[in-house]
Amino acid sequence: MKKVFAVFGDPIEHSLSPIMHNAAFKALGMDCAYHAFRVSKENLKDAIKGASAMGFGGLNLTVPLKEEALKIVEPDSLAAAMGAVNTVDFKDGIRGYNTDGIGAERALIEAGVKIESSKVLIVGAGGAARGISFQLASDGAEVIIANRTPERAIQLAEDVAAVGNVKGCGLEQLNDLIARADVLINCTTLGMYPYVEDTIATAEQMHKGLVVFDIVYNPLKTKLLMEAEKAGATTVSGVMMLVYQGAEAFRIWNGVEPPVEVMKEAVMGALRT
């Protein structure tokens, strides 16, 4: 009987996780299928319990469900510390993990970033920001979290401060924060399809030595990354974070080495069409 996997989110239409994971299953000759389902926060508990009852192999969770899932699953120590879950496994109960931080870390390292001692500015304070800030602070980066609602950024910084150097603030000083940063990471949904003209910053606010990483991967080249190119900054696509966090989830569910290049090519191919 075919094993089913899925991603839950709201919105979910943009997700390329099904294309990526189904390509991986096909490459390894596994009789599995991966689907996307629109699930609201209010229905998340029922959806996760239902997936467990129906024998799903595993789940990914995306906006806005990562923090809500903590109330439903049994998180491992990393996900509990991060305060967000993006991967659920059903082999031994309903267990939650967070692979966002690992995905972001590997994407930045692949782009040539030396994370230790780097000044990293994260815009946004949701589940993805939580996972990424936790990972990069643990790696020795100096992290500033800036958010439209300063209280959320400050609270997140306090949560993450146990593992490293993290501060939180509002967006009032965004220009100065970007000027002092080595790495700028967009952890908001600004610029996500279909709102492709939205961006957290323009070329005038960025500088040549900056590395700009947008976790939004649809479109492939977001408005933020286009503006970064105009400024002469180095750009990192959200595709690589998607691939690396997905590869880690695949490993958790199946206990086998994921075909990372196959997953990358599947996502890139879909975004080019």
Side-chain angles (χ1 to χ4, degrees):
M1 185 174 173
K2 192 181 291 289
K3 181 72 76 172
V4 177
F5 297 78
V7 58
F8 293 168
D10 186 14
I12 199 61
E13 293 80 9
H14 68 283
S15 180
L16 295 180
S17 291
I19 289 170
M20 177 177 70
H21 283 287
N22 284 324
F25 291 137
K26 183 178 179 181
L28 296 181
M30 299 171 67
D31 188 21
C32 302
Y34 186 111
H35 301 284
F37 296 93
R38 186 171 189 172
V39 176
S40 66
K41 276 187 182 181
E42 294 73 24
N43 292 328
L44 182 60
K45 184 174 182 179
D46 288 342
I48 290 176
K49 297 283 188 182
S52 175
M54 289 188 289
F56 276 39
L59 301 173
N60 286 131
L61 303 175
T62 187
V63 176
L65 308 176
K66 297 178 184 184
E67 292 159 292
E68 187 70 20
L70 272 181
K71 305 171 187 175
I72 303 162
V73 307
E74 183 181 343
D76 74 346
S77 57
L78 184 64
M82 288 182 172
V85 167
N86 79 329
T87 299
V88 179
D89 184 59
F90 298 115
K91 284 193 294 293
D92 183 20
I94 303 177
R95 298 190 177 272
Y97 303 87
N98 193 307
T99 66
D100 279 335
I102 293 169
E105 175 194 61
R106 291 181 183 169
L108 287 170
I109 290 171
E110 184 179 77
V113 174
K114 183 179 178 292
I115 296 173
E116 187 176 3
S117 300
S118 289
K119 294 179 174 63
V120 178
L121 172 61
I122 294 174
V123 178
R130 182 173 289 273
I132 292 170
S133 61
F134 191 100
Q135 184 70 50
L136 299 186
S138 298
D139 291 341
E142 297 177 29
V143 179
I144 294 179
I145 302 164
N147 192 59
R148 182 176 55 187
T149 308
E151 293 78 13
R152 288 199 70 192
I154 292 166
Q155 182 60 59
L156 176 52
E158 289 175 358
D159 292 347
V160 181
V163 301
N165 185 354
V166 190
K167 295 177 182 176
C169 62
L171 298 176
E172 298 82 4
Q173 305 299 319
L174 187 60
N175 286 355
D176 290 339
L177 293 172
I178 293 173
R180 294 197 297 269
D182 300 312
V183 180
L184 170 63
I185 306 178
N186 175 36
C187 284
T188 76
T189 57
L190 280 177
M192 182 185 290
Y193 180 84
Y195 305 105
V196 296
E197 290 303 311
D198 293 342
T199 179
I200 61 167
T202 61
E204 292 72 29
Q205 295 170 280
M206 294 182 261
H207 55 89
K208 195 171 183 179
L210 188 66
V211 175
V212 180
F213 176 20
D214 196 340
I215 71 165
V216 172
Y217 61 82
N218 189 9
L220 180 57
K221 188 177 287 187
T222 61
K223 180 73 169 178
L224 174 64
L225 296 185
M226 287 190 276
E227 291 292 312
E229 285 183 351
K230 288 182 194 174
T234 299
T235 60
V236 181
S237 167
V239 166
M240 293 318 302
M241 176 175 163
L242 171 70
V243 169
Y244 284 126
Q245 65 81 22
E248 186 64 22
F250 192 97
R251 194 177 286 111
I252 289 168
W253 296 326
N254 302 299
V256 298
E257 195 62 28
V260 173
E261 282 304 313
V262 169
M263 297 168 82
K264 177 182 174 182
E265 284 306 310
V267 172
M268 296 291 277
L271 288 169
R272 290 190 194 106
T273 58

